[in-house]
Amino acid sequence: MEQNASRVPHIGVTVKQTDVYSDSLKVLKVIRPQWKPEAIKFKLLTDGITNNLVACLPELYEEDDTVLIRIYGNKTDLLIDRQAENRNILLLNKYGLAPSLYATFVNGLAYQFVPGCTLNTENVRRPEIYHLVATNMAKLHKVKVDGVEHPKANIWKKARKFLDTVPDAFSKEETRKRFLELPSKSRINQELELLRRELDRFNNDVVFCHNDLLLGNIIWNESSNHVTFIDYEYAGFNYQAFDIANHFAEFAGVDEVDYSRYPSKTLQMDWLSTYLVEFTGNIPTKAELDSLYVIVNKFVLLTHLFWGIWGLIQAEHSYIDFDFIKYAKTRFDEYFSRKEHLIAT
């Protein structure tokens, strides 16, 4: 169902971490007034490492009627433009690429549940699934935004903003000590400058991107043979190759990151071929495939720097039980281990 922004209510409720279920009822009272509070079942979902997510469903209703309530993580407004996120959801819902947005509230939003399961490090490698992902990403990349004829990539500006947001001194002593094992802010800045000079040598389309296509943001419905992307918090105009590279990096997983899972050249070429057929409407030539393959794998370096910086910010502000310093170190380590080879090629 196509949505109109003016029809999405904003509810003046703050859903507190200490009172999630009763505060969620206040949201549901507005968007699902027919539901009896005593019959509603709540389930706290734990896949995310940025926000908290609660599934809400009354007894005797179908699973498809589930409402998801997302409570923003602490200080995530430092990272995410929430008004832009809402616009993105409404825009992409028109194209059938995002779930329906039911309402916003002070520190979150309520939206449509998408039946299916999130991808994992095993099933993302199955051709019948990754072909769906490649096709869906190509459809997303063809989305046009009214009034934008010559879009510019926002990744460099966002990376700088993120780096400026990293504290010069972390508030927790343990975090301060562990940060000493990581590259300094000035070193990260130097690497960003190096990468920009390197990547600016290549022509790459600027398109509307998801920018955070980790496995938990892809819902696969086996019965309908369909995938849906969710959580468009970081969506916006960016380099085509960044979005693809970012997804390939996520083959490694999040909880237990293992870059031996990074897709092989054979898998990537098959994925990219499927993508280009949808994106261009033509069967790609070998030269076109080879070119995109090279550019994508160079952009993987930028994804490591970007999410490494993000991990440092979360280490200072997030209340979620996740080792963000370890995650940042993993991303930076992978950047430096691959840098010389990828820049030389």
Side-chain angles (χ1 to χ4, degrees):
M1 178 184 296
E2 183 177 325
Q3 290 190 282
N4 187 312
S6 63
R7 298 178 182 175
V8 177
H10 178 76
I11 305 166
V13 168
T14 299
V15 179
K16 299 182 290 295
Q17 303 287 348
T18 55
D19 210 4
V20 169
Y21 299 141
S22 62
D23 285 340
S24 294
L25 282 174
K26 298 174 184 176
V27 176
L28 294 172
K29 184 178 180 180
V30 176
I31 62 175
R32 293 294 182 271
Q34 72 275 23
W35 287 6
K36 296 181 179 179
E38 63 275 12
I40 298 175
K41 296 185 294 184
F42 296 97
K43 182 179 181 182
L44 186 64
L45 306 180
T46 57
D47 288 343
I49 57 173
T50 302
N51 310 292
N52 287 303
L53 190 63
V54 181
C56 315
L57 178 68
E59 295 176 357
L60 306 179
Y61 278 66
E62 297 294 328
E63 183 184 40
D64 290 6
D65 295 317
T66 299
V67 171
L68 296 179
I69 290 183
R70 176 161 21 115
I71 305 113
Y72 302 147
N74 184 50
K75 299 289 186 179
T76 53
D77 56 311
L78 296 172
L79 304 169
I80 298 163
D81 181 338
R82 294 300 181 183
Q83 290 186 339
E85 178 191 8
N86 295 340
R87 290 196 301 270
N88 292 337
I89 295 173
L90 294 169
L91 168 69
L92 297 169
N93 177 261
K94 292 196 305 182
Y95 288 88
L97 294 171
S100 296
L101 180 63
Y102 296 141
T104 62
F105 50 94
V106 174
N107 62 329
L109 49 83
Y111 62 100
Q112 177 188 16
F113 170 76
V114 178
C117 64
T118 55
L119 295 192
N120 57 50
T121 56
E122 298 298 323
N123 59 22
V124 72
R125 312 182 75 83
R126 291 166 50 180
E128 68 272 24
I129 295 178
Y130 71 66
H131 287 159
L132 294 173
V133 176
T135 298
N136 215 52
M137 185 183 287
K139 290 178 179 178
L140 172 63
H141 288 177
K142 291 192 292 184
V143 165
K144 303 298 182 184
V145 178
D146 290 342
V148 181
E149 294 185 7
H150 303 289
K152 295 183 179 180
N154 65 0
I155 187 63
W156 300 112
K157 181 179 180 181
K158 186 163 288 189
R160 298 266 175 230
K161 179 182 177 182
F162 278 20
L163 188 57
D164 289 342
T165 306
V166 174
D168 294 320
F170 290 87
S171 59
K172 301 172 188 173
E173 183 178 357
E174 180 186 358
T175 306
R176 289 198 297 273
K177 290 179 179 178
R178 295 177 67 193
F179 179 61
L180 296 176
E181 303 172 8
L182 303 181
S184 66
K185 289 178 64 174
S186 61
R187 177 64 189 280
I188 296 170
N189 185 60
Q190 291 173 8
E191 297 300 325
L192 283 172
E193 289 291 339
L194 181 153
L195 269 189
R196 183 160 195 172
R197 290 194 299 270
E198 171 68 14
L199 297 177
D200 277 352
R201 296 193 300 112
F202 298 90
N203 291 323
N204 192 243
D205 289 338
V206 173
V207 296
F208 194 88
C209 294
H210 186 286
N211 288 322
D212 187 24
L213 205 59
L214 48 80
L215 304 184
N217 283 342
I218 305 172
I219 308 297
W220 172 52
N221 189 309
E222 184 175 10
S223 62
S224 65
N225 193 36
H226 183 74
V227 297
T228 303
F229 300 163
I230 60 172
D231 290 1
Y232 284 94
E233 294 178 301
Y234 297 94
F237 289 109
N238 205 349
Y239 299 106
Q240 174 191 50
F242 179 93
D243 218 15
I244 299 171
N246 192 70
H247 175 59
F248 285 171
E250 296 296 345
F251 275 52
V254 173
D255 293 323
E256 294 295 333
V257 181
D258 180 358
Y259 285 107
S260 69
R261 300 184 184 126
Y262 187 77
S264 66
K265 182 175 182 178
T266 300
L267 190 156
Q268 288 190 52
M269 294 295 271
D270 188 35
W271 196 105
L272 293 171
S273 179
T274 301
Y275 169 90
L276 285 172
V277 167
E278 175 64 34
F279 186 71
T280 67
N282 300 306
I283 297 175
T285 64
K286 184 178 185 300
E288 288 170 335
L289 272 175
D290 288 342
S291 176
L292 186 54
Y293 171 80
V294 168
I295 297 171
V296 163
N297 282 277
K298 287 180 179 290
F299 266 92
V300 166
L301 293 173
L302 182 54
T303 74
H304 291 315
L305 279 187
F306 184 80
W307 293 111
I309 298 168
W310 173 90
L312 296 179
I313 299 170
Q314 295 284 39
E316 174 68 11
H317 298 293
S318 179
Y319 294 147
I320 291 175
D321 183 17
F322 184 81
D323 193 340
F324 289 102
I325 285 288
K326 178 183 177 182
Y327 183 77
K329 185 177 188 306
T330 301
R331 298 305 296 250
F332 291 135
D333 286 350
E334 186 66 9
Y335 168 82
F336 285 107
S337 72
R338 294 171 62 89
K339 170 187 164 184
E340 296 302 327
H341 169 71
L342 288 176
I343 288 183
T345 55

